Amino acid sequence: LYKYRHQYPQNFKDIRYQNDLSNLRFYKNKIPFKPDGVYIEEVLNKWKGDYEKLEHNHTYIQWLFPLREQGLNFYAKELTTYEIEEFKKTKEAIKRFLLAYKMMLEFFGIKLVDKTGNVARAVNWQERFQHLNESQHNYLRITRILKSLGELGYESFKSPLVKFILHEALVENTIPNIKQSALEYFVYTIRDRRERRKLLRFAQKHYTPSENFIWGPPRKEQSEGGGKAQKMPAPPTSGHISQTSMHKKSKDSKNSSSAVHLNGKTAEEKKVAPGGPGEEKDRPSAEPSGEATKPRNTEDSNGENSNSELEKTVPSPTEQKESTASPEKEEDGDSHSKDPEDPGTADAPDDGQS
């Protein structure tokens, strides 16, 4: 997500002239999306309101909300900067893109109320919120939708949606299971630093219990290239194992790390059990309390980035954060992994800024 917010500036290949503009041609109703063979007009007209189809089909979302990243549907092509420019200049494509956004909002129980991106509860919100609270793979879809909005000229639509979701999760308690994804993914799709801080302050104000609100992740345990293990605070799911293994010789550090990873995976699987795959529920009380003053950015990354690449953006060991792979990849190809945000753009509260 750090790379996304900064227009993928490092080591990102943008093949401007080899792209066949398939995303734009799909939105111009000239080609169907693959592998289903369905045109955009049919999706917008016949799939709207068909919640069973929208829930269980996992190939359309990459076409409706394209990104500059390869998803699991290998038929869907990545956006390029050239295609983005052409897309923004094509009125029929933009019109259909907004209709697709409205269709998905309705699927979640939300409606778009004006041209500035403000949203509210839809008529069917009770039924759909209950579904959204239990069907957690949709949180991954929301992350993709937010990122695609930003790529195709609707960055301003993202904050109203994230604020609405935070309000429903933390204040109204209608979709409590979404709060972790909202705080660790949705917020960090927003490119404007001040907007992110506003959302985090709102969340901190309404988070209960307030003492469990965490502004940052645990620190990185060890680099992914076989570097020396670093001493760590006890991970929430297996603290006794970690504390014991910290005092062993370095040759035992790999075994300790593996034990913690397996234990953590077990806990994540238990959290996923009540709902759909691919997203874990929030467990704020399990977070180490010693990190309460750091910026919350535990999922601020792209799933494809390696730790070694991200460490280049962290000038000091004290600013390195934990990088933990998600138990599952999302259906559109972005795994919800945890990497550090650039320390120069950290989202910690700043009394001098709003």
Side-chain angles (χ1 to χ4, degrees):
L1 286 173
Y2 171 79
K3 285 190 175 184
Y4 162 78
R5 291 201 310 273
H6 292 265
Q7 303 294 333
Y8 303 93
Q10 298 176 352
N11 305 321
F12 188 80
K13 296 179 180 179
D14 189 355
I15 309 173
R16 290 176 62 95
Y17 303 108
Q18 294 183 21
N19 184 277
D20 60 1
L21 302 181
S22 59
N23 296 292
L24 179 57
R25 290 192 294 137
F26 167 66
Y27 261 102
K28 291 174 73 174
N29 208 44
K30 291 185 176 181
I31 61 170
F33 81 82
K34 298 179 181 179
D36 297 60
V38 180
Y39 286 83
I40 182 65
E41 278 298 302
E42 182 177 348
V43 173
L44 296 176
N45 293 319
K46 296 184 178 180
W47 290 30
K48 182 180 179 181
D50 189 343
Y51 300 143
E52 287 295 315
K53 185 180 290 291
L54 293 174
E55 172 67 19
H56 297 295
N57 185 297
H58 300 291
T59 55
Y60 72 91
I61 198 74
Q62 297 90 351
W63 288 86
L64 287 189
F65 301 98
L67 298 176
R68 293 173 63 191
E69 307 165 21
Q70 180 62 56
L72 293 183
N73 180 356
F74 62 88
Y75 291 105
K77 303 291 182 66
E78 305 102 309
L79 281 170
T80 64
T81 52
Y82 176 72
E83 187 174 25
I84 290 170
E85 292 164 7
E86 293 300 310
F87 199 105
K88 290 177 180 178
K89 292 187 291 186
T90 307
K91 291 184 179 180
E92 61 177 315
I94 288 296
K95 180 180 178 181
R96 290 187 177 116
F97 180 71
L98 288 176
L99 289 174
Y101 179 53
K102 291 179 181 178
M103 179 182 74
M104 292 308 297
L105 286 181
E106 181 187 290
F107 171 68
F108 300 135
I110 306 170
K111 65 178 179 180
L112 186 66
V113 297
D114 58 37
K115 294 181 179 180
T116 64
N118 289 317
V119 294
R121 291 175 175 177
V123 175
N124 62 343
W125 71 271
Q126 288 179 307
E127 171 198 345
R128 301 313 303 164
F129 279 15
Q130 182 178 352
H131 176 80
L132 183 60
N133 195 54
E134 298 169 354
S135 182
Q136 297 176 5
H137 76 98
N138 281 302
Y139 308 166
L140 307 165
R141 288 174 167 179
I142 293 172
T143 300
R144 170 174 275 269
I145 291 168
L146 287 165
K147 292 167 75 175
S148 191
L149 285 170
E151 295 287 35
L152 296 176
Y154 288 89
E155 180 71 24
S156 62
F157 277 34
K158 290 151 70 171
S159 286
L161 178 59
V162 176
K163 177 74 172 292
F164 173 82
I165 290 172
L166 286 171
H167 178 82
E168 292 293 339
L170 299 175
V171 180
E172 302 295 338
N173 201 37
T174 52
I175 40 177
N177 290 344
I178 206 172
K179 64 182 177 181
Q180 178 178 344
S181 289
L183 286 168
E184 298 179 358
Y185 285 91
F186 306 166
V187 168
Y188 289 98
T189 66
I190 294 169
R191 292 187 169 111
D192 186 271
R193 180 184 178 189
R194 293 192 178 191
E195 285 298 314
R196 294 196 303 273
R197 288 179 171 181
K198 287 177 184 178
L199 292 168
L200 289 170
R201 290 192 184 103
F202 173 83
Q204 183 187 37
K205 179 179 178 181
H206 298 285
Y207 199 95
T208 55
S210 59
E211 63 270 17
N212 288 336
F213 183 84
I214 304 298
W215 283 92
R219 298 186 181 183
K220 181 183 294 185
E221 181 174 3
Q222 119 181 34
S223 0
E224 199 173 89
K228 292 182 180 179
Q230 300 175 3
K231 290 188 177 181
M232 287 278 297
T237 57
S238 56
H240 63 286
I241 296 176
S242 179
Q243 288 173 358
T244 301
S245 60
M246 279 196 300
H247 300 291
K248 293 183 179 181
K249 294 182 180 180
S250 59
K251 69 179 181 179
D252 294 328
S253 61
K254 289 185 178 179
N255 292 335
S256 173
S257 177
S258 299
V260 173
H261 173 74
L262 290 173
N263 229 340
K265 183 176 180 182
T266 301
E268 287 164 352
E269 289 171 349
K270 289 179 180 177
K271 287 182 283 182
V272 170
E279 179 63 55
E280 66 238 29
K281 297 180 184 177
D282 187 31
R283 296 197 310 155
S285 60
E287 300 272 3
S289 59
E291 301 294 326
T293 59
K294 296 176 186 173
R296 183 185 186 104
N297 50 23
T298 58
E299 302 183 9
D300 187 12
S301 70
N302 289 318
E304 62 192 5
N305 299 337
S306 68
N307 292 342
S308 58
E309 289 174 339
L310 287 159
E311 283 170 357
K312 295 176 183 177
T313 68
V314 185
S316 165
T318 60
E319 294 170 327
Q320 292 179 351
K321 306 279 196 300
E322 180 183 271
S323 177
T324 306
S326 171
E328 295 185 39
K329 281 192 174 183
E330 64 174 300
E331 62 197 32
D332 58 347
D334 296 324
S335 63
H336 279 192
S337 60
K338 302 180 181 180
D339 287 322
E341 182 174 12
D342 185 319
T345 58
D347 295 299
D350 185 345
D351 294 336
Q353 290 181 292
S354 61

